[in-house]
Amino acid sequence: MSQPELYDVTIIGGGPAGLYSAFYCGMRDMKTKIIEHNDRLGGKVLLYQEKMIWDIGGMTPLNGEQLVENLIQQANTFDPTFVFKQRIQYMERLENGHIRLTAETGEVHESKTVIIAAGSGVLVQRKLEIEGAEKYEVSNLHYTVTSLEQFKGKRVLISGGGDSAVDWANEIAPIAESVTIVHRRDMFGGLERHVRHMKEVAEVLTPYALTTLHSTDGSMINSVTISNVDTEEEETLFVDEVIVNHGVHGDHGLLREWGLDMTQYQIYCNKFMETELPGVFCAGDTALHEGKLRLIAGAFVEAGLAANAAKTFIDPEATKAAYVSSHNERFKEKNKELQQQQRVGV
Ligand SMILES: Cc1cc2nc3c(=O)[nH]c(=O)nc-3n(C[C@H](O)[C@H](O)[C@H](O)COP(=O)(O)OP(=O)(O)OC[C@H]3O[C@@H](n4cnc5c(N)ncnc54)[C@H](O)[C@@H]3O)c2cc1C
């Protein structure tokens, strides 16, 4: 096995906390790698790309997709190394004090420090428990909504009753031919006024469960069978698109065996984002401490703290925090470029 390149800091997870950590580690002049299990960056925000986000300081409302774009652009400021489709499962301390991370796929990474920004773990969509359903995932069976456009003029069936199912019903209804929501219970998640609105704009069938998918050509779902959970009475509905919103759950996998003090989803850390393992820090939804603010804004603060802690772990003489960006030498050349672009109106 060839020796992996050594990094100052390796960030596990490419959600908001990981991306902002990458930027901040760059500001602290650390050689940075970010490893993401998905083939895309953005973390949980990818679950609500079309939703508007209002509660990030200094950002007027922007949707999830725009936020992810901005975060990626910012993370790229100091050219970190990105690694995709690798789920880190093992962490071990080498004799020289460095940390070795091993992915499920067998790839090995070596780093002086690690920031765990793994959210609630790898997100696993609760899938439809209907045999053969997966073959329609490339056509008209959806577990998330990436574009509203694809539902324009369509007969859309949504299975599920959580906040997301309610929100998608409300958002799709104005452009779809019809929206039918099928749910096992008469209780729906989300704000009362959203549920009320959903009942006005969508046909709501409870207590029903989706039991069979039918296709005339084997490639697209054309109709479904739903069954009344109490009476077992069945109905057939003709549909163009099916959205399943049965929720997601996080899975930290073998990270739980790294010797960290953890709850099911979170790692205990101190106010500097230090875990009990030397050189291992955490940020974002993964991190648990007394002052926890479980918001993207909170993740940004933790990312900065984790990056500063990683820097001083490597170099105890380094300043405790990065110098403010407005007067930071690291941006001198980049500022010249930006000012030049502004002058020529690019
Ligand atoms: C529906 C919804 C709406 C929300 N709305 C808002 C809002 O309006 N405002 C707000 O502030 N917050 C909101 N949040 C919360 C916000 O999305 C989270 O706080 C934020 O995404 C946390 O970022 P993170 O980087 O810590 O974790 P995540 O976004 O969960 O990212 C973690 C990343 O780590 C990866 N990963 C996990 N384990 C591994 C591993 N072992 N190896 C490699 N990669 C791994 C995952 O694939 C994931 O990409 C919302 C959350 C949800 C679910």
Side-chain angles (χ1 to χ4, degrees), residues 12-13 15-17 36-37 43-44 48 55 86 88 118-119 121 284-285 295-296:
I12 303 174
E36 169 54 53
H37 160 261
K44 281 192 198 81
Y48 55 98
D55 48 3
Q86 285 192 32
I88 297 302
D285 280 0
L295 281 178
I296 292 164

Side-chain angles (χ1 to χ4, degrees), residues 166 170 191-201:
V166 171
N170 287 337
L191 297 176
E192 225 171 85
R193 66 190 154 89
H194 291 174
V195 175
R196 223 174 17 246
H197 184 67
M198 175 197 74
K199 289 180 176 170
E200 283 163 17
V201 296

Side-chain angles (χ1 to χ4, degrees), residues 87-272:
R87 179 184 193 169
I88 297 302
Q89 288 281 42
Y90 305 95
M91 178 167 72
E92 63 192 300
R93 175 99 39 200
L94 302 175
E95 269 177 22
N96 59 9
H98 297 162
I99 298 162
R100 179 187 285 157
L101 297 172
T102 308
E104 207 163 35
T105 46
E107 275 93 346
V108 173
H109 308 270
E110 200 172 315
S111 195
K112 293 180 188 168
T113 62
V114 169
I115 297 177
I116 305 175
S120 328
V122 165
L123 294 180
V124 185
Q125 290 275 356
R126 287 201 176 87
K127 298 244 171 155
L128 256 191
E129 287 173 13
I130 295 178
E131 214 182 307
E134 63 284 351
K135 69 171 179 279
Y136 302 113
E137 288 178 29
V138 290
S139 53
N140 60 345
L141 174 62
H142 314 273
Y143 287 98
T144 186
V145 173
T146 48
S147 150
L148 292 177
E149 272 304 293
Q150 64 190 312
F151 303 106
K152 205 168 177 178
K154 304 274 185 71
R155 294 165 299 179
V156 181
L157 180 120
I158 300 176
S159 173
D163 314 26
S164 302
V166 171
D167 288 350
W168 293 130
N170 287 337
E171 289 187 30
I172 292 168
I175 55 162
E177 181 185 315
S178 65
V179 173
T180 305
I181 188 154
V182 173
H183 185 37
R184 303 181 74 90
R185 287 185 298 278
D186 194 27
M187 301 276 289
F188 290 89
L191 297 176
E192 225 171 85
R193 66 190 154 89
H194 291 174
V195 175
R196 223 174 17 246
H197 184 67
M198 175 197 74
K199 289 180 176 170
E200 283 163 17
V201 296
E203 185 181 9
V204 178
L205 300 177
T206 59
Y208 276 93
L210 184 53
T211 52
T212 320
L213 307 174
H214 307 282
S215 172
T216 46
D217 65 0
S219 68
M220 302 269 290
I221 304 164
N222 309 107
S223 62
V224 300
T225 301
I226 59 168
S227 168
N228 187 303
V229 175
D230 295 336
T231 63
E232 293 185 2
E233 199 180 315
E234 291 191 335
E235 268 187 52
T236 301
L237 304 174
F238 291 92
V239 297
D240 300 309
E241 304 285 342
V242 176
I243 301 172
V244 174
N245 226 301
H246 294 179
V248 289
H249 63 97
D251 174 19
H252 273 308
L254 297 177
L255 182 149
R256 301 187 58 77
E257 293 171 17
W258 294 359
L260 295 153
D261 190 8
M262 288 184 78
T263 64
Q264 190 182 356
Y265 294 112
Q266 292 181 285
I267 299 168
Y268 288 104
C269 62
N270 65 14
K271 61 185 180 187
F272 302 112

Side-chain angles (χ1 to χ4, degrees), residues 304-320:
L305 289 167
N308 285 330
K311 179 72 183 178
T312 49
F313 180 84
I314 296 170
D315 175 8
E317 301 298 312
T319 54
K320 292 258 177 285

